[in-house]
Amino acid sequence: MSQQNPRSVSVIGLGPMGQAMVTALLAAGVEVTVWNRTAAKADAMVELGAARASTVSDALEAGAITILSLTHYAAMYDVLGPAVDSLDGRTIVNLSSDSPENARKGGAWVRSHGARFLAGGVMSAGDNLAHPASYIFYSGPREVFDAHAELLRPLSPQEYLGPDDGVSQVFYQALLTIFHPWLLAFDQALAVIANSGHEIEQFLPYAIRANSAFPYFMEAFAEAAQAGRREGLAGFRMMDAGAQHVIDASEEVGVDATLSHTSQAFWRKAVAAAEQTTDPVTIFNLMRHASPE
Ligand SMILES: NC(=O)c1ccc[n+]([C@@H]2O[C@H](COP(=O)([O-])OP(=O)(O)OC[C@H]3O[C@@H](n4cnc5c(N)ncnc54)[C@H](OP(=O)(O)O)[C@@H]3O)[C@@H](O)[C@H]2O)c1
């Protein structure tokens, strides 16, 4: 095994996120080697100063650690599978998104081939790693994180969550659970404004202003969920009616209200549950104990 520069990182996977990582590492003076399935995507990174590995094994050899930035964990097996003989003694930091269970299985698989493993979830503002809101969750053995935290620091601020390989994906996917419907809801709102003949520029400051109330709701909802505070049937019925108003406001002007129909279906489920029992019904508990449709 060749002696590596301790300030060297290999990056496998050069989608928008992998490229942002390479750029941040090079800017911090780290020696970077890259490999990507579609080789042409490495060209721009080589122009920036990265070295090109012609094989996955070469990439694993070159860096003190190897970061994977792939679409999902399945891609890790496709990429590293043919190069398992080069894994022994290496450190793999998989910053790809997937389920917690797939991250745990991935970690076990990497270790079964003699390598160290860390998992991570990149909580960035898109691929803008330098944005003040960007940070990365890490999980896996504390000593592996501590040994490489300094080398990984140029990527974004770090939040180490614990030794369970899956926990970074638990927190990451929980945050994306909020973000995914928000993305669709925001475009639906913009479509309502535009289709109603109004200017998005006029609407945007109000959307930002409404957003500033969300931390208040988050704290109140988190406190209520932990306290098991009962939510009343009247409240669920009110939200059902409110969802109908959102659906009407969208559909009156030809906007797709699929998302709002889904939220209304959930409020109706809460109404039905509250009508069937005298026990306290909370949305938090309905979410926790999903019943088949
Ligand atoms: N982009 C963002 O804003 C952002 C933000 C936070 C987190 N993330 C997460 O970061 C990860 C990477 O993001 P990205 O936007 O760069 O993703 P992406 O555009 O999906 O690119 C992923 C990379 O995975 C490779 N890949 C996919 N399937 C493969 C396979 N079967 N075998 C070999 N290589 C494979 C692609 O190779 P080819 O080039 O050959 O297709 C590409 O290099 C994802 O897990 C994403 O969820 C992204």
Side-chain angles (χ1 to χ4, degrees):
M1 197 176 288
S2 59
Q3 196 63 40
Q4 291 133 335
N5 173 358
R7 294 263 304 154
S8 65
V9 172
S10 293
V11 177
I12 293 182
L14 298 173
M17 181 48 69
Q19 299 208 18
M21 288 176 176
V22 172
T23 306
L25 290 165
L26 287 171
V30 175
E31 185 184 304
V32 181
T33 300
V34 295
W35 185 91
N36 194 62
R37 175 180 64 177
T38 308
K41 282 195 195 164
D43 294 350
M45 301 296 96
V46 171
E47 256 174 53
L48 280 182
R52 187 194 308 267
S54 48
T55 65
V56 172
S57 292
D58 287 351
L60 292 169
E61 280 278 330
I65 61 175
T66 296
I67 293 173
L68 305 182
S69 179
L70 301 164
T71 308
H72 37 46
Y73 268 64
M76 177 182 82
Y77 303 105
D78 289 344
V79 169
L80 297 184
V84 282
D85 292 345
S86 304
L87 276 173
D88 192 33
R90 302 296 171 197
T91 300
I92 303 298
V93 182
N94 195 336
L95 300 182
S96 313
S97 167
D98 212 312
S99 75
E101 208 38 43
N102 281 342
R104 291 182 189 109
K105 285 180 188 151
W109 181 83
V110 167
R111 290 190 193 100
S112 75
H113 294 288
R116 289 171 291 274
F117 180 80
L118 278 180
V122 185
M123 270 321 299
S124 56
D127 58 6
N128 184 354
L129 290 171
H131 191 281
S134 297
Y135 60 95
I136 302 182
F137 287 126
Y138 288 95
S139 60
R142 175 92 226 190
E143 64 279 11
V144 180
F145 174 73
D146 286 344
H148 302 294
E150 197 52 43
L151 191 52
L152 291 162
R153 208 173 305 280
L155 296 183
S156 276
Q158 303 167 334
E159 296 290 341
Y160 174 77
L161 292 175
D164 166 20
D165 291 324
V167 67
S168 52
Q169 289 301 322
V170 173
F171 278 65
Y172 176 76
Q173 299 303 348
L175 287 168
L176 287 195
T177 303
I178 304 169
F179 189 52
H180 270 227
W182 179 88
L183 285 174
L184 295 173
F186 191 61
D187 273 332
Q188 186 181 335
L190 296 186
V192 168
I193 293 294
N195 283 16
S196 304
H198 297 284
E199 295 298 327
I200 286 174
E201 285 74 19
Q202 187 193 355
F203 172 72
L204 185 60
Y206 296 119
I208 292 172
R209 191 163 155 192
N211 189 62
S212 68
F214 289 174
Y216 160 77
F217 285 121
M218 286 186 205
E219 284 175 2
F221 278 44
E223 201 262 313
Q226 289 171 98
R229 204 155 22 259
R230 180 192 181 114
E231 294 158 46
L233 182 58
F236 297 147
R237 286 194 176 130
M238 192 265 285
M239 292 307 291
D240 174 16
Q244 188 60 51
H245 305 154
V246 175
I247 290 166
D248 292 343
S250 297
E251 292 181 348
E252 279 170 6
V253 289
V255 169
D256 188 321
T258 304
L259 192 66
S260 307
H261 281 287
T262 302
S263 64
Q264 185 180 50
F266 195 88
W267 293 117
R268 289 185 172 172
K269 194 168 162 178
V271 168
E275 280 172 346
Q276 277 165 24
T277 176
T278 50
D279 292 340
V281 173
T282 70
I283 296 294
F284 176 61
N285 277 336
L286 285 178
M287 290 286 182
R288 289 190 78 186
H289 306 291
S291 53
E293 290 299 318

